[in-house]
Amino acid sequence: MADSLGVDGIVHLSVESGCGGTTFALQVAREHLTDGSHVVWVCSEMPNSDRFSQLYTDVDLVAVSRLHVIAVGENIVQGLTSANSMVTALDSITMIVIDDWAPKSGQVPSEILDK
């Protein structure tokens, strides 16, 4: 799935803020959704609505409904716990995005790594 963008397997994308990492992940997620899969998206805040509309304008609403966004503010651990529950409940999840999960320092807090 989603091999049209050359992304398959486990990928950790570490990018500087503002360089398009979220947009890239939204594009890969779109491929998974249009293939009939579910995508879980954990984030501190919802992706930009204008950018989302541009990328998903031609995607069927049923496909978009398979995007499960978990916006948790600063409590990323809660989002990871929720995502884990979804993974055990839905066997059609093919992609999990954890957007902006590390602070600006790049050092991941230990409570996140323990999850």
Side-chain angles (χ1 to χ4, degrees):
M1 297 214 171
D3 58 358
S4 64
L5 292 174
V7 177
D8 191 22
I10 297 173
V11 175
H12 176 228
L13 181 64
S14 179
V15 298
E16 179 140 350
S17 179
C19 77
T22 297
T23 299
F24 176 73
L26 283 169
Q27 291 172 333
V28 176
R30 183 184 62 210
E31 295 293 320
H32 283 260
L33 296 169
T34 57
D35 284 347
S37 299
H38 288 252
V39 173
V40 175
W41 190 286
V42 179
C43 54
S44 58
E45 56 187 60
M46 298 292 287
N48 179 283
S49 61
D50 291 334
R51 176 178 24 175
F52 186 87
S53 294
Q54 290 170 345
L55 293 171
Y56 283 75
T57 189
D58 61 344
V59 178
D60 180 69
L61 287 177
V62 173
V64 175
S65 73
R66 291 190 295 268
L67 176 62
H68 308 281
V69 178
I70 305 169
V72 293
E74 295 295 317
N75 195 352
I76 198 72
V77 173
Q78 177 186 355
L80 296 175
T81 301
S82 296
N84 190 42
S85 296
M86 290 191 79
V87 167
T88 58
L90 286 172
D91 61 356
S92 58
I93 295 173
T94 59
M95 181 176 180
I96 300 170
V97 176
I98 306 168
D99 193 19
D100 289 335
W101 66 287
K104 300 259 187 241
S105 69
Q107 185 69 27
V108 181
S110 61
E111 66 268 12
I112 293 174
L113 291 176
D114 292 341
K115 296 295 170 189

